[in-house]
Every structure is written in structure tokens, then in C-alpha cells.
Amino acid sequence: MQLTLSIIKPDAVRKNVIGQIYQRFEQSGLRIVAAKMLHLSQAQAEAFYGVHKERPFFNDLVKFMISGPVMIQVLAGTDAIKKHRDIMGATNPKDAAPGTIRADFANSIDENAVHGSDSEETARQEIEFFFKPTDILLRD
Ligand code: ADP
Ligand code: MG
């Protein structure tokens, strides 16, 4: 059993496809064990994406991530981090395999519908960034 952090980004929330994306999680065997909708502040978005602060796209990424509400969830399951990354698809939707979330719901590399943790360490940090341990409701 592993936990990972998922964010449905402002473009996908605007498209009204939260439910369709949740269905992908559930169909792949992942469980939603915590969730909240937030409109991130600039400081929150900058801190969350701190690892990318030297990248040329950082300012645009932050601006996009605060352009509207996001839906944030903790997903649980066997091999959840990789399973989630697999169903998300590649960062650039042009490279994303057919049937992945980004292939079906993202328009561009800038507005690519979803975020997912990429390792056990980032999953732990990212979950802690948004949720208290008591927010996570594990069950069988
Ligand atoms: P992923 O979200 O697949 O883990 P990264 O961690 O590399 O991808 O990048 C974080 C986010 O930054 C991406 O999801 C995307 O929104 C944005 N991004 C990454 N690379 C680029 C790029 N070359 N141009 C514009 N935005 C980018
Ligand atoms: Mg990443």
C-alpha cells in the first residue's frame, strides 16, 4: 500500500471533468482517501513547485496554478505512485499515450490537467504540504 498526491489543475476544473478524472482513479484500483478544493495563493503555488523555481516556465506555471480552483487528493493503493503516473500520461499531452488523462483532457504542456507525485519522498512531502495525518482516512 502506497500513498500519492494528485492535483486536478485549474484547466480541468474549468472543463468540469473532476468526476471523469476521479472515475479513472477508481477504475485503476486507486482509492481517494482525502480530498479538498482550494484556490491556491501565489505563495502556496511557489512553495509547492519550489523544485522548479530555476526553470524558465516557473512564473507561467505559478500563474496558471493560481488561475482558478484546484482539486487536491491523496490516492491510496498498491504501487500507487507509479500507477497514478501511468494513468496520467506524459507531461506533454502530445506525447501522452492514448487513453491517459493528459491525452484525453489536457491541451498543452503548460495546461496539462493533472499533477502527480513522482517518488516516495515527493509523495510524502506533497501530502504533508496539504493534509494533516488525521485528514487521511484509510480503509479497506
Ligand atoms: P510532471 O507534472 O509530469 O511531473 P514536471 O514535474 O517536469 O512534470 O513539471 C511540472 C509542471 O510544470 C508540468 O506538469 C507542467 O505543467 C509544467 N512544465 C513542465 N515542463 C514544461 C515546459 N517545458 N513548458 C511549460 N511548462 C512545463
Ligand atoms: Mg513533477
Side-chain angles (χ1 to χ4, degrees):
M1 229 281 297
Q2 208 174 42
L3 300 179
T4 191
L5 186 86
S6 150
I7 302 178
I8 301 177
K9 295 184 178 183
D11 57 325
V13 173
R14 271 193 287 275
K15 285 182 185 163
N16 206 26
V17 293
I18 294 170
Q20 292 186 61
I21 294 174
Y22 271 23
Q23 190 169 31
R24 306 285 178 103
F25 298 154
E26 293 180 341
Q27 277 169 349
S28 76
L30 294 168
R31 285 166 188 264
I32 297 158
V33 295
K36 65 171 121 184
M37 184 176 268
L38 287 180
H39 195 144
L40 298 180
S41 67
Q42 176 148 340
Q44 273 178 310
E46 286 175 352
F48 182 78
Y49 276 118
V51 317
H52 294 306
K53 67 175 177 295
E54 306 303 333
R55 311 278 287 272
F57 56 81
F58 180 71
N59 287 339
D60 287 341
L61 173 62
V62 168
K63 210 152 120 195
F64 164 61
M65 288 300 289
I66 66 174
S67 67
V70 295
M71 193 73 204
I72 307 170
Q73 39 286 320
V74 179
L75 305 177
T78 306
D79 211 10
I81 296 167
K82 182 175 188 301
K83 191 177 276 178
H84 180 223
R85 294 290 307 195
D86 286 348
I87 64 169
M88 284 168 59
T91 306
N92 189 340
K94 291 192 183 76
D95 303 326
T100 59
I101 293 168
R102 282 168 164 166
D104 292 341
F105 300 112
N107 296 329
S108 69
I109 191 168
D110 304 271
E111 306 204 351
N112 61 2
V114 285
H115 166 85
S117 309
D118 61 8
S119 70
E120 287 196 23
E121 193 191 343
T122 58
R124 212 173 305 114
Q125 291 166 352
E126 291 177 356
I127 290 168
E128 204 174 73
F129 189 88
F130 288 113
F131 295 98
K132 301 190 298 273
T134 50
D135 293 334
I136 299 167
L137 304 177
L138 297 175
R139 69 242 178 230
D140 44 43

